[in-house]
Amino acid sequence: MADVVLKPVQPDEAIAYFRQKGYRIGFDHRDVWQQEHQAAFTVAKAMQLDVLRDIRGAVDKALTKGTTFGDFQRELGPKLQARGWWGKQEMTDPVTGERKLAQLGSPKRMEVIFDTNMATAYSEGQWERIQRNKEIFPFLQYQRSASSHPRVSHLAYAGLVLRADDPFWQRHMPIKEYGCKCGVVQFTGRMLEHLGIKLGTAPKEVMRTVTNTRTGDEMQVPVGVDPAFNYAPGGRRANLGRMLMDKAEASSAATAARVLADGVDQWMPLVRSEFQEFVGRFAAGERAEIGTRRVVGVLSPATVDAMAATGQRLARSTMAIEAPQLDQLLGAEAGAARAGRVELVSSLPDLLTRVGERWMDEDGRLVLLCSSDEPGMVARIVVAPGQVANAITSLDLVRAQDFDRRGLRPIGNTPTQ
């Protein structure tokens, strides 16, 4: 009889969570904040996509092949050194303009990268399984860290049993800090009864105010939760549209434009839904939980090619909006006028798929004329090309016959974008 070889089962949900991430370049770990980690793969100081791709590929291999940290380190270390991303080097902080001595690759950093990405992927994958099986296994028990020096804030939760749908897990589903080794175990009611384990009560939440010194954003974060992990589990499904746009942002202009051109009907509703929620919460004054940036659309291959024909090759085909521009677009109106601006800005992803005319102004900015649902009106959207993404700088509804084309240069205008 032939020997039976048992192979480890791949953590499918964990792999799916990790692979849906886009790329996000950040100089400081606070540049990619809270739930943005669910949408984007990032490594602080890794300012080049080729470096991020090398690191991401090594993490992906560790997840799918079950390789150890030793294998991860032996394979990735020489690649990072060959790219010059190793040791301490002087770098310019793009936010402050300061020259700083920055720690790039090192054995310790690789260990943090490995542990954090593996742990968060497994945790998100486990959460999907918990939700799928919670009718049969409706209870979760918090398992303390196996570390000989566990965090006191997490040790207080050790052994706590709550229902899987208890709001406590939205804040404290492990992992919630760098290096955290805590976890949860799912139980049926009969299993708890057999083990003599009682259903507990969620402890009173203790919050603290944390300021992101990179952005000035203030947020309320529970004690025992690092701000970088202050997001609810299960964000992969809730943020599919955003994650898709982040992936497009990591691609070349031509690639992203070509790949997404034929799938507008599939991705645009996802992006629109997520962006509508974001704008609504932003307009209501929220900042701590939702982040300050969104990718809202992708220029078509025709637009990318037309820009290249003018001598202006776009680094990216994605269009994004940042908090300062979003504040300007929403304006200072109140009441019905405010609601109208919120509705208009929320429709950006949809409008950007309905471009009728393309122009370039004297400053090299794209001026897109898009059909709207208002009779006789068109949306005029101004986009400033950039290295990371193309920034939406203005959005207005104008009467079609009043659109002033003086001083504008046509950019391969066709009936479609």
Side-chain angles (χ1 to χ4, degrees):
M1 179 178 178
D3 292 336
V4 177
V5 178
L6 298 178
K7 296 182 179 180
V9 177
Q10 287 189 350
D12 293 337
E13 296 90 351
I15 294 170
Y17 164 77
F18 183 75
R19 285 183 172 173
Q20 51 75 34
K21 286 189 174 190
Y23 291 90
R24 183 65 58 79
I25 290 175
F27 181 83
D28 189 281
H29 73 277
R30 292 161 296 185
D31 292 341
V32 183
W33 203 235
Q34 301 192 109
Q35 78 279 4
E36 291 181 348
H37 286 280
Q38 291 178 305
F41 179 77
T42 186
V43 175
K45 311 293 189 299
M47 308 298 286
Q48 299 165 298
L49 278 177
D50 53 3
V51 172
L52 274 180
R53 289 190 180 109
D54 284 345
I55 299 172
R56 181 188 179 124
V59 174
D60 187 281
K61 183 175 180 179
L63 272 172
T64 56
K65 304 295 185 183
T67 53
T68 66
F69 171 66
D71 295 330
F72 173 86
Q73 185 179 31
R74 281 189 292 273
E75 181 174 323
L76 179 61
K79 290 183 179 180
L80 298 181
Q81 293 176 46
R83 292 197 186 279
W85 198 79
W86 196 260
K88 292 185 177 181
Q89 297 181 25
E90 275 205 351
M91 298 181 70
T92 300
D93 186 330
V95 172
T96 66
E98 298 177 66
R99 291 288 292 176
K100 296 180 177 180
L101 188 63
Q103 176 65 62
L104 305 183
S106 70
K108 180 61 178 178
R109 285 211 69 191
M110 284 197 292
E111 183 178 4
V112 172
I113 291 167
F114 181 85
D115 286 348
T116 302
N117 281 282
M118 296 291 281
T120 53
Y122 277 113
S123 177
E124 288 285 336
Q126 183 184 25
W127 183 254
E128 285 200 21
R129 294 192 298 276
I130 288 169
Q131 297 308 301
R132 191 165 59 239
N133 299 321
K134 67 181 180 182
E135 290 188 10
I136 302 172
F137 297 89
F139 303 101
L140 298 181
Q141 183 182 51
Y142 196 104
Q143 300 284 298
R144 61 156 285 177
S145 170
S147 171
S148 57
H149 301 287
R151 292 172 175 81
V152 175
S153 56
H154 293 185
L155 189 59
Y157 306 141
L160 176 65
V161 176
L162 300 170
R163 296 192 66 87
D165 55 5
D166 192 290
F168 171 84
W169 303 114
Q170 295 297 303
R171 291 283 195 180
H172 296 282
M173 173 70 185
I175 62 166
K176 286 302 174 185
E177 289 187 298
Y178 289 102
C180 178
K181 299 293 192 298
C182 297
V184 298
V185 176
Q186 234 175 332
F187 288 103
T188 66
R190 181 171 294 182
M191 291 166 69
L192 291 179
E193 184 179 351
H194 177 73
L195 294 170
I197 300 175
K198 301 295 184 181
L199 185 65
T201 303
K204 183 178 179 180
E205 197 75 272
V206 180
M207 307 293 286
R208 70 191 195 280
T209 300
V210 176
T211 301
N212 185 335
T213 56
R214 301 284 287 179
T215 64
D217 290 344
E218 286 192 352
M219 64 213 76
Q220 293 295 304
V221 179
V223 170
V225 176
D226 186 284
F229 297 88
N230 186 33
Y231 50 80
R236 182 171 77 90
R237 295 192 184 280
N239 295 311
L240 281 176
R242 182 180 178 188
M243 292 167 181
L244 180 63
M245 290 294 99
D246 278 337
K247 277 193 171 184
E249 188 177 51
S251 303
S252 69
T255 298
R258 184 178 66 254
V259 169
L260 293 177
D262 296 329
V264 174
D265 292 341
Q266 284 72 46
W267 61 257
M268 196 276 292
L270 297 172
V271 176
R272 177 178 57 198
S273 176
E274 199 278 335
F275 187 65
Q276 284 176 341
E277 180 187 8
F278 168 67
V279 173
R281 295 175 66 183
F282 189 97
E286 291 190 49
R287 298 293 187 277
E289 297 291 338
I290 62 172
T292 57
R293 182 180 191 276
R294 288 296 188 279
V295 181
V296 294
V298 181
L299 295 168
S300 72
T303 303
V304 173
D305 291 344
M307 290 290 286
T310 69
Q312 187 167 359
R313 294 189 177 276
L314 297 175
R316 297 285 178 268
S317 63
T318 46
M319 291 170 283
I321 188 163
E322 307 271 358
Q325 285 72 39
L326 185 53
D327 263 333
Q328 291 178 15
L329 295 192
L330 292 174
E333 295 95 339
R338 175 71 165 181
R341 287 300 299 178
V342 170
E343 183 178 358
L344 176 61
V345 173
S346 297
S347 69
L348 255 174
D350 188 26
L351 292 172
L352 289 168
T353 66
R354 297 155 61 179
V355 177
E357 296 181 20
R358 301 178 297 257
W359 302 83
M360 183 186 291
D361 68 13
E362 295 175 349
D363 296 321
R365 297 175 302 183
L366 272 173
V367 180
L368 305 177
L369 211 60
C370 312
S371 61
S372 79
D373 295 329
E374 293 286 331
M377 307 291 283
V378 292
R380 179 179 56 196
I381 302 172
V382 179
V383 184
Q387 287 300 309
V388 176
N390 306 299
I392 305 290
T393 61
S394 70
L395 164 63
D396 294 290
L397 285 180
V398 298
R399 296 183 63 84
Q401 63 266 35
D402 294 338
F403 177 64
D404 188 357
R405 296 169 176 80
R406 287 176 299 180
L408 300 179
R409 177 182 179 183
I411 302 296
N413 286 323
T414 60
T416 61
Q417 186 196 2

